[in-house]
Amino acid sequence: MPSLNAVLLAESPRFTPRPIPLVSRLIGIAAPLLFVVLTFQAFQRQDLGMWSVGVAYILYDTALLLFTAWQIRKLVADTARPVAHTADAPTLGVIVAAHNEAGVIHLTINRLLAQAQSPEAILIADDGSSDTTPAVMLETYGLAVPCIGGMAETVIGATRLQWLRLPHGGKARALNQALQHARTDVVLTVDADTLLEPGAIAAMRTAFLRDPALVAATGVLQPICGPSLSGRLFEWFQSYEYVRNFLSRHAWMQLNGLLLISGAFAAFRREAVLAVGGFDPDCMVEDYELIHRLHRHSNDHGLGWHVSVVGGALAHTDAPATIRGFLKQRQRWFGGFLQTQHWNRDMVGNSRYGLVGTRMLPVKALDTLQPIYGLAAFAILIFLVATGRFTLAFPILLVMIAKIVIDLTFHLWSLGIYKRWTGRREGLRFFPALIAALAEPFTFQLLRHTGAALGWYAFLTGSQTWTRATRSALEHQA
């Protein structure tokens, strides 16, 4: 079998120039040009038209919301019974890529070992840790320290626990090395700061057994941010954000257009990942980029692969609890999104790639500028208020109120659907949801857009020096 890097060179559009469809070129020109034209209205009009950029932003966001509402309206709980470890059930192993995670790695491993259906293997891909990880692995699991490039292993119950020590090269390289050692049909990637609910692995195994064409699936995550005041505020806003995001993923899954999975808790058919060259170490969001190559490979070779979100596979993940940490995370996410969109621009509007090409990727192309539209709209509104033009600001305020009512209605309605779909109810009460929906447009949403603007800077300057996130919740539990 050729090396993962060799296959990646052959598969990646970065190395294989492909013609760019006309629709992709038109979107690439029209969206920024429209932004300039609409923003210019702020200096030319003396009515609601001066806030044209804000109106365009609201109409686009509302259209996406209505699409999601239509697609999830009949969403119900997945009541399929988990499959047993029978001969036809796919084997499943877990890869945990970890760099200096001594404070939380035992929590993650123990939660995996305590699953209702334990995985056949847990492989810790130790990406050059320089902390006390060796002591934790020795004292907790009796694993002697292997040499760099070597592996130590033991058996705990029905699970083989493996510790692969690697030179520091980043998460994608660690995952690729671990893939070469994995021997299960399905591999689950779990971040060292992610704790799976007891039935998560059983739900994933069932999904892959029921659907032989399923090559990648994401579980449903809920953020935890720690006990500080800042942590509680960020957890409050992000909890409802994650609800919307995962419902949106289910909506796009209905069209076989799902591109966004969460590498913190994702499952892949191992042979499919190897076929497209593994994870790309040059991408800021290696999990998101991989899904594009899986879709591309499937359509190029007529394989009929698809990607899913599994509502019954639940987990908690450590999320940013400070403004600085949050902006760093969203800068990397959005910068990687732009990077991946640019590499795959030949798929935008291309019917060869099905609804991914004709629906999802054109929407993603527009999403590249949505935060810029949002920040410009807010800046114009602040300018009007600061200069005392309250008469002009009043109709804008009415439009914003109408948008908040639409968002609030969807938000409260979708909470019931989400609870029914996932069975999760904790931390999703009606009154806090109401307050979050009212406060978000003027607080958390602006932070999200600011992080995206920083992502544009990272993408345009090639800045990819991302530091390890500060653990705000799991290390406190430890």
Side-chain angles (χ1 to χ4, degrees):
M1 179 182 294
S3 70
L4 290 180
N5 287 337
V7 178
L8 180 61
L9 290 173
E11 289 283 342
S12 176
R14 294 189 289 127
F15 303 104
T16 308
R18 301 170 189 249
I20 309 300
L22 178 60
V23 65
S24 179
R25 297 179 186 274
L26 291 176
I27 292 175
I29 295 172
L33 181 61
L34 180 63
F35 173 76
V36 173
V37 171
L38 295 179
T39 303
F40 186 66
Q41 300 302 306
F43 305 97
Q44 300 297 313
R45 305 283 291 273
Q46 293 298 318
D47 53 18
L48 182 60
M50 71 182 305
W51 203 60
S52 297
V53 67
V55 173
Y57 169 81
I58 284 175
L59 289 176
Y60 176 71
D61 192 69
T62 302
L64 293 180
L65 205 67
L66 292 175
F67 163 76
T68 299
W70 179 258
Q71 292 294 332
I72 68 172
R73 69 193 189 283
K74 297 180 180 179
L75 183 58
V76 296
D78 183 355
T79 56
R81 296 179 62 184
V83 297
H85 284 205
T86 58
D88 59 343
T91 56
L92 187 147
V94 181
I95 298 175
V96 182
H99 174 66
N100 289 344
E101 301 284 5
V104 298
I105 190 66
H106 65 289
L107 295 174
T108 305
I109 295 173
N110 290 345
R111 185 64 68 93
L112 290 169
L113 292 170
Q115 285 289 299
Q117 282 189 16
S118 57
E120 280 79 355
I122 300 172
L123 199 165
I124 308 301
D126 186 348
D127 181 34
S129 294
S130 57
D131 61 356
T132 59
T133 293
V136 172
M137 299 302 287
L138 176 63
E139 295 170 7
T140 309
Y141 306 106
L143 289 173
V145 181
C147 62
I148 298 297
M151 181 185 290
E153 64 178 80
T154 187
V155 176
I156 302 176
T159 301
R160 185 171 66 257
L161 176 61
Q162 301 170 298
W163 175 23
L164 175 64
R165 288 191 72 208
L166 301 166
H168 182 50
K171 181 181 178 181
R173 288 187 175 87
L175 289 172
N176 285 339
Q177 289 294 322
L179 279 171
Q180 303 281 28
H181 291 273
R183 293 294 178 266
T184 54
D185 302 320
V186 176
V187 291
L188 196 70
T189 62
V190 175
D191 282 356
D193 59 0
T194 299
L195 301 179
L196 272 58
E197 292 294 296
I201 285 181
M204 278 294 187
R205 196 192 303 270
T206 301
F208 278 86
L209 174 65
R210 292 165 60 195
D211 188 355
L214 180 63
V215 293
T218 179
V220 178
L221 294 171
Q222 182 173 358
I224 49 176
C225 301
S228 67
L229 176 60
S230 173
R232 289 197 296 271
L233 284 173
F234 271 96
E235 185 172 319
W236 177 43
F237 279 118
Q238 289 179 92
S239 291
Y240 296 111
E241 179 195 24
Y242 277 39
V243 168
R244 291 193 303 272
N245 286 350
F246 282 99
L247 288 174
S248 174
R249 295 181 198 190
H250 187 277
W252 283 106
M253 182 192 78
Q254 300 295 97
L255 302 183
N256 194 24
L258 179 60
L259 287 172
L260 182 58
I261 69 165
S262 299
F265 178 27
F268 304 91
R269 214 170 284 274
R270 178 175 172 270
E271 291 302 320
V273 177
L274 293 175
V276 301
F279 296 89
D280 191 336
D282 293 328
C283 187
M284 293 183 248
V285 283
E286 68 286 329
D287 46 357
Y288 179 64
E289 188 277 335
L290 173 61
I291 300 303
H292 287 70
R293 272 186 289 122
L294 288 171
H295 276 295
R296 181 189 292 276
H297 185 85
S298 173
N299 283 278
D300 284 348
H301 297 85
L303 300 174
W305 289 350
H306 56 265
V307 181
S308 179
V309 54
V310 181
L314 308 177
H316 290 78
T317 190
D318 197 297
T322 63
I323 291 177
R324 181 172 180 270
F326 181 81
L327 291 179
K328 282 172 58 181
Q329 181 200 64
R330 299 311 168 99
Q331 179 188 27
R332 180 177 66 83
W333 284 4
F334 203 84
F337 159 58
L338 294 172
Q339 190 181 45
T340 305
Q341 186 75 15
H342 177 69
W343 290 347
N344 293 280
R345 61 194 183 279
D346 65 291
M347 295 174 67
V348 178
N350 195 334
S351 59
R352 175 178 181 175
Y353 298 105
L355 294 179
V356 169
T358 59
R359 303 280 183 86
M360 179 80 268
L361 281 168
V363 168
K364 287 297 182 183
L366 296 175
D367 282 350
T368 61
L369 286 179
Q370 186 191 25
I372 307 303
Y373 274 67
L375 289 174
F378 188 77
I380 292 171
L381 179 61
I382 292 298
F383 172 75
L384 291 176
V385 173
T387 55
R389 304 185 197 184
F390 299 108
T391 303
L392 296 175
F394 182 70
I396 296 175
L397 181 62
L398 292 180
V399 172
M400 293 181 67
I401 290 174
K403 171 61 173 167
I404 290 173
V405 170
I406 293 172
D407 287 353
L408 182 60
T409 302
F410 171 82
H411 189 50
L412 298 178
W413 169 74
S414 67
L415 274 181
I417 291 178
Y418 177 85
K419 291 175 182 178
R420 185 168 66 245
W421 176 43
T422 64
R424 170 173 285 159
R425 283 166 169 74
E426 71 274 13
L428 298 174
R429 297 189 303 275
F430 178 86
F431 185 69
L434 174 66
I435 301 302
L438 293 173
E440 183 177 339
F442 310 101
T443 53
F444 185 68
Q445 186 168 292
L446 294 177
L447 278 179
R448 287 206 316 266
H449 290 344
T450 301
L454 293 173
W456 264 107
Y457 174 80
F459 170 66
L460 294 174
T461 61
S463 171
Q464 299 182 37
T465 55
W466 312 111
T467 58
R468 174 181 177 267
T470 301
R471 303 295 177 223
S472 54
L474 295 193
E475 288 186 353
H476 176 80
Q477 292 184 20

